[in-house]
Amino acid sequence: MAKSRLTATDLNLFKVFAAIYQQRNLTRAGEQLATTQPAVTKALARLEHVFREKLFLRISGEMRPTNAAERVAPFVFDAINSLEKAISGVLSFDPNSVASHFKVGGNDYVSMVVLPRLLEEMAGLEVPIDLTLIHCTHVNAAALLCGGAVDCALVTSPVIDARLVMEPLFEDDYVVICSKSHFGDLAEMTIEKYLSVPHVLVSHVGQRDGWVDCELAKSGLSRRVLAIVPFFSGVLPMVTTGLVFCTIPRRLARLYSDDYKLCTYEVPLTTPFTSFFLLWPRLLDSSPAAAWFREKIRQQCAAL
């Protein structure tokens, strides 16, 4: 009887494959596996011998998966996660039995809207659970997740990457905020009033034109942008001066308008919805602790 190729294959090689696929770097893959770069290189050569195909090519300083590796990857990740699930059936995560530390990627909207709800729930547990928020957008989410810097991330644009799992969480639209003492008596925010006062714009990359400017341009209109700041938290004290308006997500305005003595109005434009997505590494798909934490995020976001 012919010997099975699987029987003749060291299954640890597939962990090496997953690490290289995630990290795109042999040294970082070795660090993830607690081994050396030469050992990873040797294991990769053995694995390529098993498949009789090149699996990774060094391009622009990183190990890029070949078409063969892309075909193999889903099966490898599914197999690893199946084994994780088998173990999880015996070993479950009890948040009250062990101190834990979770790292979340997100922007300041996440820190101002989602994180306080998570902290409140974590504080009610018998054993402390610490949270760290690391600034993250869709641009650097894959690098942070695959590098192990964060366990999961909340971003506002889809990230298509075979190394990651992505699911939609919630949507938010926009309102105009302004000083209550200066503009609290308006019946509504007309387009004329909206354009009569300078605006402060939130842009994480310093971009001067946002969706508001695109909508205005469709009607041949424009606004005066007096300041651009990278974080939503920075606009709140600026708006209290009465010198500027700002268009921000509705949930953010609802949470902080009273504290900063602001009033909110509907935007006199066609307003888009921003979608938020939850991302996590495929290799953590079956981790009991990581799965528990992701479920807490889902619950808190559903209650927003």
Side-chain angles (χ1 to χ4, degrees):
M1 183 175 178
K3 190 176 183 181
S4 165
R5 290 184 67 190
L6 181 61
T7 302
T9 302
D10 181 356
L11 297 184
N12 284 315
L13 296 178
F14 295 104
K15 293 173 63 178
V16 173
F17 174 93
I20 300 173
Y21 191 88
Q22 264 200 308
Q23 300 295 342
R24 301 293 201 261
N25 181 279
L26 297 178
T27 300
R28 290 198 299 271
E31 292 171 353
Q32 179 177 318
L33 297 167
T35 189
T36 63
Q37 182 266 326
V40 172
T41 301
K42 184 177 179 181
L44 175 59
R46 291 172 60 197
L47 194 57
E48 289 178 332
H49 177 73
V50 170
F51 283 99
R52 300 189 179 95
E53 289 197 68
K54 199 72 175 172
L55 296 175
F56 296 91
L57 296 174
R58 189 180 298 279
I59 301 174
S60 300
E62 69 174 18
M63 300 298 290
R64 301 273 182 88
T66 63
N67 290 335
E70 295 290 6
R71 291 195 303 270
V72 169
F75 299 103
V76 173
F77 283 114
D78 285 347
I80 292 174
N81 280 317
S82 293
L83 291 172
E84 287 280 1
K85 288 177 181 177
I87 296 171
S88 300
V90 179
L91 302 175
S92 59
F93 177 70
D94 179 3
N96 287 312
S97 65
V98 60
S100 302
H101 180 204
F102 294 103
K103 297 168 291 184
V104 189
N107 59 15
D108 67 322
Y109 177 102
V110 174
S111 72
M112 298 173 74
V113 176
V114 180
L115 198 62
R117 299 183 64 94
L118 279 173
L119 285 174
E120 188 174 357
E121 176 156 355
M122 301 299 111
L125 298 172
E126 296 176 12
V127 177
I129 288 185
D130 299 329
L131 300 180
T132 297
L133 179 72
I134 295 176
H135 184 68
C136 170
T137 69
H138 69 283
V139 175
N140 64 341
L144 291 174
L145 288 162
C146 294
V150 295
D151 302 304
C152 60
L154 283 74
V155 298
T156 55
S157 294
V159 178
I160 309 303
D161 192 310
R163 298 171 293 175
L164 306 177
V165 181
M166 178 179 69
E167 69 176 53
L169 275 179
F170 64 94
E171 293 182 329
D172 205 353
D173 64 344
Y174 293 84
V175 295
V176 188
I177 58 170
C178 47
S179 167
K180 185 175 292 185
S181 62
H182 292 77
F183 302 102
D185 59 349
L186 298 179
E188 64 176 349
M189 181 62 69
T190 64
I191 190 65
E192 292 77 17
K193 175 55 85 173
Y194 187 68
L195 297 179
S196 70
V197 175
H199 289 238
V200 58
L201 171 67
V202 178
S203 171
H204 300 298
V205 295
Q207 184 177 338
R208 191 162 192 82
D209 296 330
W211 70 264
V212 168
D213 304 283
C214 294
E215 283 297 319
L216 289 171
K218 292 176 182 178
S219 302
L221 301 172
S222 62
R223 61 175 176 169
R224 167 87 192 287
V225 176
L226 187 63
I228 301 173
V229 297
F231 303 118
F232 288 112
S233 55
V235 307
L236 300 175
M238 296 175 68
V239 174
T240 62
T241 65
L243 298 175
V244 290
F245 289 163
C246 189
T247 305
I248 69 171
R250 185 182 299 273
R251 287 184 175 90
L252 193 60
R254 183 191 305 152
L255 286 172
Y256 293 95
S257 289
D258 288 344
D259 291 342
Y260 285 86
K261 297 180 172 56
L262 304 175
C263 52
T264 63
Y265 294 99
E266 297 300 315
V267 184
L269 297 166
T270 301
T271 306
F273 281 84
T274 294
S275 297
F276 286 79
F277 300 88
L278 179 62
L279 300 169
W280 66 91
R282 195 169 294 278
L283 280 178
L284 289 180
D285 200 26
S286 300
S287 164
W292 175 88
F293 184 60
R294 292 194 301 268
E295 183 57 28
K296 292 304 175 184
I297 291 176
R298 293 187 191 98
Q299 292 172 2
Q300 292 304 325
C301 288
L304 288 173

